[in-house]
Amino acid sequence: PSISLQNINLKKSDLTVEDDNSQNSFLASLEEAYLGVEVLNIEKDSFLFHSISLYRPQFTKTEITKTLSDSLSMDLDSLSLKPEGKARSPYLSIGILEIDEGAFQSLISDTIVNLSRSNSLDFNNLDITELDLTMMDFSYQAPMNIFAHLEHLSMNEHNGLELSEFSVDSLWVDST
């Protein structure tokens, strides 16, 4: 069985994913979103979009790190061999990706020293606001291969980093 979708419109949507074991969480909300769907193939982990437009999205990722005693008392049930067979390698392609008035927060609990240190950039604890982004021909292939044409990026980070106009013809992130 399959479902054929061409356009997805979302308004005032929220998503919360919490891991009860690790207490890590991911929260996402947005005022409005439009997804122009080309192909959604869950069996092959292949997701192709003509365009995605997000208005006022907010993403928050929180990671609670374990203490040394927590990591030493590992549950034996969590030790398992990977199942045999080919590992899945998701693929995502977006013709045009637009984010308007976005926000992103990423916090790692044991590294938070002072969230308001000016003139510093802590990649473990980011608080980005006023994010405006336009990308063309964005593609992602697991584990971490990314390509895109970055047409426009502007944003503010809470410790003072401000980008008012950033663009690159070709953005490559290659995990190999």
Side-chain angles (χ1 to χ4, degrees), residues 97-101 131-135 150 152-154:
L97 173 61
E98 297 175 306
I99 297 176
D100 188 24
E101 295 182 37
L131 173 65
D132 291 319
L133 172 77
T134 303
M135 281 188 175
L150 181 58
H152 169 78
L153 171 64
S154 64

Side-chain angles (χ1 to χ4, degrees), residues 111-127:
T111 63
I112 299 173
V113 177
N114 182 351
L115 285 178
S116 60
R117 281 198 293 197
S118 61
N119 300 320
S120 66
L121 185 59
D122 179 359
F123 286 101
N124 288 320
N125 297 293
L126 292 174
D127 188 0

Side-chain angles (χ1 to χ4, degrees), residues 4-8 34-38 50:
S4 177
L5 299 172
Q6 291 183 342
N7 298 304
I8 300 172
Y34 167 79
L35 292 82
V37 179
E38 199 170 319
H50 298 286

